[in-house]
Amino acid sequence: DLAFEDKLDRLAEVAVKVGLGLRAGQELIMSAPMEALPLVRLITEHAYKAGALLVTTFYADDPSTLARFAYAPDASFDYAPKWLQDGIAEGFRSGAARLAIAGANPALLAKEDPAKVARANVAASKAGKPAMELITRHEINWTIVAYATPAWAKLVFPNDPEDIAVAKLWDAIFVSSRIDADDPVVEWQQHGERLKKRVDLLNAKRFSALHFKGPGTDLTVGLADDHLWAGGGTTAGNGVYCQPNIPTEECFTTPHKDRVDGTVKASKPLSHQGTLIENIAVRFEGGKIVEATATAGEDVLNRLISTDDGARRLGEVALVPHSSPIAQSGVLFWNTLFDENAASHIALGQAYSTCLIGGEKMSAEELAKRGANASLIHVDWMIGSGAMDVDGIATDGTAEPLMRKGEWV
Amino acid sequence: DLAFEDKLDRLAEVAVKVGLGLRAGQELIMSAPMEALPLVRLITEHAYKAGALLVTTFYADDPSTLARFAYAPDASFDYAPKWLQDGIAEGFRSGAARLAIAGANPALLAKEDPAKVARANVAASKAGKPAMELITRHEINWTIVAYATPAWAKLVFPNDPEDIAVAKLWDAIFVSSRIDADDPVVEWQQHGERLKKRVDLLNAKRFSALHFKGPGTDLTVGLADDHLWAGGGTTAGNGVYCQPNIPTEECFTTPHKDRVDGTVKASKPLSHQGTLIENIAVRFEGGKIVEATATAGEDVLNRLISTDDGARRLGEVALVPHSSPIAQSGVLFWNTLFDENAASHIALGQAYSTCLIGGEKMSAEELAKRGANASLIHVDWMIGSGAMDVDGIATDGTAEPLMRKGEWV
Ligand SMILES: [Zn+2]
Ligand SMILES: [Zn+2]
Ligand SMILES: [Zn+2]
Ligand SMILES: [Zn+2]
């Protein structure tokens, strides 16, 4: 068994070689929670060894963020530093890759005024739009990896002392991120090929809709015209092949924003900015949520879907088998990077233009015409389980079984 | 006696209220060594309490910097992130104040290839020029304060164990920064007024030159046409009154780049990027260094003055009494923020346009016409001591004693 330091170093290597596919001479822009400094240093080293021109890291410090919520004037919460986000977008345009380290305390702002939190998020989304669009359109190579911060670990394993919780979360991260394999870089190549084969099959079908049937769920999700399934690696607009999420288990595509109908019940709690929204049940009509309930966090859910018009519609539908290592771990990670790879899911809000044929080059109007949703938010929530059946619906209405009891048929 | 935490909190308060004079609703852009995180957090808190719109901090991490020098491709050392520096300049233009925390390990790059270090500095200076000009022209309010990092403390007090060295350096910082006074904010207001009175006297004189006479020194420093003495606080272009350096003891102005003649011997070693340059002796002719020697670090000195044409000429001349608390501490800080306030000094390189009447609004050509020097570097070195006499030379050639044995007459 490898020592922790060796596993962390392997995670850094996988992040640079598999996640980013960093090209020699390419710049790297990284963002990280302050606690992730040991991983930042290892990634920085691997990036320079891979020929990085320069690595620039932006750190988020929780006490500094809390000081803002405690003392800043009200106007602060409608503000975000556009000068910085525009600078980062310019860095991407001039060739930089992007790596984000996830793991910030999901509950950091749980006790703050939800209205202030929401306003700050809207301001950040608006200021960050030019940079974020280069990422979601896959114009640059990018990836996300995770770091087990103590605050996150304590949320995931509340009954363990902090050091045990951190160790357990690291184990779950290393297993999910396929770091334990003999050669994790080779393992990731093979995993990517398996996902690609599944994606190619789904794309060949040209389904017009998916039908989900399970406990509390009877949902038809129409797919966008010219929708494209994606999963695993992708060749970015700058020509670099990357794996945007470490881990990743999903095949996903763009639903049609006006063609979602029926009822759906979440199969797992949704952790949103530190609040657990439990037992979500939603009814769609003509693509739009017309009824939304939850047994806990219902106010947060309703605030979320009221962010803008697109927040009540779907931007993603994804299929994940119940046998995925993240599902099998049984851990609720309170983090989309992991939880969305534990079960089939749908996402409220912004669609990925890369999940439409030629979508990267389309205007907002052209994307909307094909049914792709637009919103400031993109929030995934789990609907799959070992009791979920999924059919693909052809244009002539015939149903083809895709998943039975949560597994690919 | 105050506890350390209270002194650190006072330093943060002085930085925000005196150093920046931060205005309610103003954004703050901070840069800091990673080790200075405790001071960053206190400054962030005081800034928000003073009404800061948002505080954004950029951290420098020494191991990440060393990884670059160890592993990055050669092209890295001619590169700097213009996208980031342009972003920061835009932040300044849109109203942000700037705070830098000094204290990074001065010897960090001492063992790296000096050519690579020099190239990286030139690239950083070029990319940072738009942002730096807004600072040196005082178009925004800004300040620098110090944090006693372990690496810096060990360099200053090499014979002490690390914890003692850090404690000694903190004591020296707190005393120099006038934190021990009953009310440091009031103490700083009074200190600023004393400096301003001295500056007003010097400006009223309209000297054409200064004459320095001491052991190994017989130097005439012509002053730029329309030169302006400065010291202590300044009203920035955005209308905010700030104290750009904490501590500060100097009255300084712009020499004439073509009118410096004679010989001068440094009174203290010059620490430049981790190298101590000792016993510098230099001869000027027509403003330009024509001979430069040192008993240690002479190669670094010669590389420094070869950076560009302006690196051989003076951009600043400053008068500091030998009774300054920094001089009296007897500590060589290896840091200009402190060392330049220990003795009268001159600086090679870039002049401050704010030290010319109307200079902030002048073009590069207009500045040069009045004698203000231009360069990518600005390096101060100490020439004053308890044995230095300084005369002011009027336009008719008559000499007026300004300092005798290092003290104001
Ligand atoms: Zn997904
Ligand atoms: Zn998603
Ligand atoms: Zn000076
Ligand atoms: Zn200076």
Side-chain angles (χ1 to χ4, degrees), chain A residues 315-334:
Chain A
E316 178 190 346
V317 58
L319 298 176
V320 177
H322 190 59
S323 55
S324 114
I326 296 109
Q328 290 307 304
S329 76
V331 174
L332 178 73
F333 283 86
W334 292 67

Side-chain angles (χ1 to χ4, degrees), chain A residues 27 41 53 61 76 79 83, chain B residues 27 41 53 61 76 79:
Chain A
E27 198 173 349
R41 288 174 177 169
L53 185 63
D61 178 52
S76 174
Y79 180 79
W83 53 268
Chain B
E27 201 175 347
R41 289 174 177 170
L53 185 63
D61 177 52
S76 175
Y79 180 79

